Amino acid sequence: MAILVLGTAALDTVRTPSGVRRKMLGGSAVHFAMSARLFTEVHLVAVVGADFPQAYIRFLKCRGVILDSLLRAGGKTFHWAGEYEGDLNTAITRKTELGVLAAFCPVITSEQRSIKNVFLANVDPDIQRELLERMDEPRLIAMDSMNYWIQNKRRSLMRMLKRVTIYVANDQEARLLTGERNLLNAGQSLLRMGPAMVLIKKGEHGVIFCSNKYMFSLPAFPTQRVIDPTGAGDTFAGGFMGYLARVNKLDDKSIKQALVYGTIAASFNVEAFGPERTSLLTMKDLGRRLQKYRQIVLF
Amino acid sequence: MAILVLGTAALDTVRTPSGVRRKMLGGSAVHFAMSARLFTEVHLVAVVGADFPQAYIRFLKCRGVILDSLLRAGGKTFHWAGEYEGDLNTAITRKTELGVLAAFCPVITSEQRSIKNVFLANVDPDIQRELLERMDEPRLIAMDSMNYWIQNKRRSLMRMLKRVTIYVANDQEARLLTGERNLLNAGQSLLRMGPAMVLIKKGEHGVIFCSNKYMFSLPAFPTQRVIDPTGAGDTFAGGFMGYLARVNKLDDKSIKQALVYGTIAASFNVEAFGPERTSLLTMKDLGRRLQKYRQIVLF
C-alpha cells in the first residue's frame, strides 16, 4: 500500500561539531521519504521555489520517490538554518525563511486521492487540513507538528487531532501541548484530544507509544557517531509508517515492529549530514542493524 | 550468595510536588538493601549517630537486613535535605550535614570478610578502599560514586576504578568523569579506566550497560506516579546486584536479566517517599511488574 506524505522539501544550512553544510537537501517530507521508500511507494506533496536545484529533483526521483505533486512555484525554497552544540539533542534555529511555503496550497493528482496511508509532516495545520479534504478516505492518517503551530495555531491543530489516527510528537511538543511534565500523562492527555494512538519521540532516549489499549517503550539504537540529527524524527516516522503501510495492519504486534523499524532508520539518519546516509540505505542495512538492536534490547 | 553493601544510612528531608518528609529513613545502603534483600542476604556496612531512631533499626531488621556492621557513633546521623521540581529528574540539594559520616571507618565481622559480592555505594572513595582492604577476595565488586568525589577525590576514585568489576554511574557522573557528551563514548572511556563493565543510569530514560564484549540498553518502566525519586539509583543497583548474587553468574544473559530486575525495582521506589514502597516489596510484586514490562518492551 502506497503512502502519501505532505511536508516540506527544503534547503537546510546546518552546523554541527562535525562541520557545516550549506543549502543541502532537507525538509520533513524528504527525510520521511528516505526511509519510507524502503517499504513502499512514496508520493511526496510539497512545494519548492525556483532556486531548488534540479539535481535534488533527480536525487529524489532516482530513489523512487513519486514527485507528481511536488509543486515548483516562483520564489525561494523554504530555507532553514540551524546548529547543534554539545550533546546534539537540541537544534538552535538561526534562520527560517518560508519563501514559497508561505502561500502553499497542496494539490494532488486524482490517482493520489485514493491513497490509504497519509503522513502529515510538520507544516501549518491548515495546510494539513486542506490536503485531507482532497483525499477520498484514508485508512491511516498520522500527523506531526511543531512548537510554532502549537503556540500559534492551537485551534487548527486541535481540530486536526480529532481527525487523525496517530499523533506523532517529540517530548517537548507533547509537554507544551498538554502542560504535563510526565510523558505518560502527556500521552494520556493527547489521547483524550482525539487520536487513537500517540507516539512520543524522545531523541537519543527512544520512543514511547500509547493507545487506550497498550503502551510500548523502546530505547534508541545506541550510536557513537552522531553527525547531524536533523530529520531523525521524520526518518523515524518514515520507517514506522512505511512498515505499517507495507503490512497493512494496525494491531499491536505490527505497531511494535513498525516502532523498531523507525528506531533503526532514525539511527542511520544521525550518522551523516541531511539525507546523506539514509539516501543510500537498503533493507539489508536495516535488517543487519535490527539484529544488533535485538541483542542490545531483548532479554 | 550474600551481598555486603557499604554506604550511608541517613536521615533524609525531601520536598517534592507531592509533599514533604522530614528526617525519614534514607541513604544509599538502605535503598540498596530494600531491593537486594528480595534476592539474597544483605549485610549493611554504615554508620549512624546517636539521633538515629531505634525504630529505623527495627525497620531494617524486620526486613532481614543484617546490621552486624552498622556502627552507632556519638554525634549526628548523616542528614541530606533536598527537593525536586518540575519533571523530578534533578534533585536540588538544600543541606548536606555529614555528621558521624565525616570520621567513618568501616568495620566488618570476620564472617563478613569472605562475602563474595560487594557493592560500594556512594561514599568517599577512600572509605570504599578501606572496606575492600578488609575483605578476603570478593568475586564481584561494583561501585557507585557521585559528582562531589569526581571533582574532589578524583585520584582516589580513579584508583578504585582499577579494582572493581562494575562501575555504576548516572549520566551526569559519566559525562563529568570522562568529558564525553555521548554516553556510549563515555562508557568506552570508563572501561579504559579499569572496570570490566560499566552501567550508566539515565533516570526516567532507563539504563545503558557496556563491557568490551557487549552493550545493552533498556528503557525505564514507564510510570505516571512519580512521588519521590530519591534512592531510585540505589534501588536499581540493589535489584541488579541482588539478582547477580543469587544466580552467581556474570554471563551476558544474567547481566541482562539483572538489569531488568534493577529497572523494575527502581520503578517501585519512585512511587512513594523514601523506602515507603520498596520496604513492602515482594518477589511477587516484582514478577507481576516484570510481566507488564515485557509487554511494553519486547517485540
Side-chain angles (χ1 to χ4, degrees):
Chain A
M1 305 266 285
I3 293 187
L4 185 139
V5 55
L6 166 73
T8 58
L11 299 177
D12 281 354
T13 297
V14 177
R15 181 189 298 271
T16 85
S18 305
V20 189
R21 291 290 185 282
R22 291 179 214 287
K23 299 208 171 174
M24 67 178 166
L25 176 61
S28 55
V30 167
H31 283 291
F32 179 94
M34 284 305 105
S35 50
R37 75 187 166 92
L38 298 173
F39 297 91
T40 186
E41 201 178 88
V42 180
H43 298 249
L44 191 146
V45 184
V47 64
V48 295
D51 58 343
F52 193 74
Q54 200 56 35
Y56 289 174
I57 302 273
R58 275 198 303 275
F59 178 96
L60 292 167
K61 267 198 186 143
C62 278
R63 277 146 194 92
V65 184
I66 295 163
L67 302 179
D68 297 352
S69 297
L70 175 67
L71 295 179
R72 195 188 271 275
K76 289 209 154 197
T77 302
F78 173 55
H79 177 219
W80 179 79
E83 53 188 282
Y84 298 84
E85 286 168 357
D87 60 3
L88 291 102
N89 267 336
T90 319
I92 304 155
T93 293
R94 294 296 177 207
K95 221 186 265 181
T96 309
E97 296 165 326
L98 285 182
V100 293
L101 196 58
F104 177 39
C105 180
V107 176
I108 55 173
T109 67
S110 56
E111 290 78 25
Q112 289 175 330
R113 291 175 63 98
S114 58
I115 291 178
K116 292 293 173 217
N117 302 282
V118 176
F119 187 70
L120 306 171
N122 168 37
V123 286
D124 185 329
D126 289 331
I127 300 180
Q128 294 177 322
R129 183 177 43 77
E130 274 174 45
L131 179 88
L132 276 199
E133 279 161 16
R134 283 166 175 72
M135 307 282 307
D136 283 342
E137 221 177 287
R139 174 193 70 110
L140 171 61
I141 308 170
M143 169 190 158
D144 200 342
S145 195
M146 74 176 287
N147 290 359
Y148 182 81
W149 310 119
I150 295 172
Q151 283 162 329
N152 297 290
K153 286 236 175 169
R154 195 185 172 91
R155 197 177 292 182
S156 296
L157 181 65
M158 294 297 279
R159 228 181 295 146
M160 282 301 293
L161 283 177
K162 296 197 195 315
R163 298 182 62 176
V164 305
T165 315
I166 309 182
Y167 177 53
V168 176
N170 69 28
D171 43 3
Q172 289 177 332
E173 292 154 5
R175 288 185 171 123
L176 183 64
L177 189 49
T178 62
E180 294 279 358
R181 296 299 292 258
N182 180 295
L183 286 180
L184 294 195
N185 291 337
Q188 293 304 316
S189 173
L190 290 170
L191 287 174
R192 286 192 292 273
M193 294 177 186
M197 304 171 188
V198 170
L199 199 172
I200 302 177
K201 300 169 291 179
K202 305 188 293 174
E204 66 162 327
H205 299 304
V207 68
I208 288 180
F209 181 92
C210 47
S211 77
N212 285 320
K213 283 180 245 151
Y214 42 76
M215 172 174 45
F216 304 136
S217 179
L218 290 176
F221 181 86
T223 177
Q224 290 178 261
R225 285 177 295 178
V226 182
I227 303 296
D228 171 19
T230 311
D234 293 304
T235 309
F236 184 101
F240 174 74
M241 289 291 288
Y243 181 82
L244 289 180
R246 178 145 96 181
V247 298
N248 194 24
K249 284 188 210 158
L250 260 183
D251 60 299
D252 54 342
K253 254 192 157 173
S254 306
I255 293 273
K256 248 183 187 178
Q257 201 60 33
L259 291 169
V260 170
Y261 275 111
T263 296
I264 301 299
S267 77
F268 283 103
N269 170 278
V270 305
E271 291 179 357
F273 278 98
E276 282 173 14
R277 180 67 188 92
T278 51
S279 61
L280 304 173
L281 213 54
T282 63
M283 275 306 288
K284 211 168 165 183
D285 294 327
L286 286 188
R288 244 186 256 123
R289 190 162 288 188
L290 176 58
Q291 280 312 312
K292 272 196 210 167
Y293 185 67
R294 296 177 70 87
Q295 287 163 10
I296 290 168
V297 171
L298 295 188
F299 56 88
Chain B
M1 305 267 284
I3 292 186
L4 185 138
V5 55
L6 165 74
T8 58
L11 300 176
D12 280 353
T13 297
V14 178
R15 182 188 298 270
T16 85
S18 305
V20 189
R21 290 290 185 283
R22 289 179 215 287
K23 300 207 170 175
M24 66 177 168
L25 175 61
S28 56
V30 167
H31 283 290
F32 179 93
M34 285 304 104
S35 50
R37 74 188 166 92
L38 298 172
F39 296 90
T40 188
E41 204 177 86
V42 180
H43 297 249
L44 190 146
V45 184
V47 63
V48 295
D51 58 344
F52 193 74
Q54 200 55 35
Y56 289 173
I57 303 273
R58 275 197 304 275
F59 179 96
L60 292 168
K61 267 196 186 145
C62 278
R63 277 147 194 91
V65 184
I66 294 163
L67 301 180
D68 297 353
S69 297
L70 176 67
L71 295 179
R72 195 186 273 275
K76 290 209 154 199
T77 303
F78 174 54
H79 177 217
W80 178 79
E83 51 189 284
Y84 298 85
E85 286 168 359
D87 61 2
L88 291 100
N89 267 337
T90 318
I92 305 155
T93 293
R94 295 295 176 207
K95 220 186 266 180
T96 308
E97 296 165 330
L98 286 183
V100 294
L101 195 59
F104 178 40
C105 181
V107 176
I108 55 174
T109 67
S110 56
E111 290 78 24
Q112 288 174 330
R113 293 176 62 98
S114 59
I115 291 177
K116 292 292 171 218
N117 301 283
V118 177
F119 187 70
L120 307 170
N122 168 38
V123 286
D124 185 328
D126 288 332
I127 300 180
Q128 294 176 323
R129 183 179 41 78
E130 275 174 44
L131 179 88
L132 277 198
E133 279 163 15
R134 284 166 175 71
M135 306 283 308
D136 283 342
E137 219 177 289
R139 174 193 68 111
L140 171 62
I141 308 170
M143 167 190 159
D144 200 341
S145 195
M146 73 177 289
N147 291 359
Y148 182 81
W149 309 120
I150 295 172
Q151 282 161 330
N152 296 292
K153 287 235 174 168
R154 195 185 173 91
R155 197 176 292 181
S156 297
L157 181 65
M158 295 295 280
R159 228 180 297 145
M160 283 300 294
L161 283 178
K162 298 199 193 313
R163 298 183 60 176
V164 304
T165 317
I166 309 182
Y167 177 53
V168 176
N170 68 30
D171 41 4
Q172 289 176 333
E173 292 154 6
R175 287 185 172 122
L176 183 65
L177 189 49
T178 62
E180 293 279 358
R181 296 299 293 255
N182 180 295
L183 286 179
L184 294 196
N185 291 337
Q188 293 305 316
S189 173
L190 290 169
L191 287 174
R192 286 191 293 273
M193 294 177 186
M197 303 172 189
V198 170
L199 199 173
I200 302 178
K201 301 170 291 179
K202 303 188 294 171
E204 64 161 328
H205 298 303
V207 67
I208 288 180
F209 181 93
C210 47
S211 78
N212 285 322
K213 281 181 247 148
Y214 42 77
M215 171 173 47
F216 303 137
S217 178
L218 289 176
F221 182 85
T223 178
Q224 291 177 259
R225 286 177 296 180
V226 182
I227 303 295
D228 170 21
T230 310
D234 293 306
T235 309
F236 184 101
F240 174 75
M241 289 291 289
Y243 180 83
L244 288 180
R246 179 145 93 180
V247 299
N248 194 24
K249 283 187 211 159
L250 261 183
D251 61 299
D252 54 343
K253 255 192 157 173
S254 307
I255 293 274
K256 248 185 186 175
Q257 200 61 33
L259 291 169
V260 170
Y261 274 112
T263 296
I264 301 297
S267 77
F268 283 102
N269 170 278
V270 303
E271 291 179 357
F273 278 98
E276 283 173 13
R277 179 67 189 92
T278 51
S279 61
L280 304 172
L281 212 54
T282 63
M283 275 307 286
K284 211 168 165 183
D285 295 328
L286 286 188
R288 246 187 253 121
R289 190 162 287 188
L290 176 57
Q291 280 312 310
K292 273 195 210 166
Y293 185 67
R294 296 178 71 87
Q295 286 162 14
I296 289 167
V297 172
L298 296 188
F299 55 88

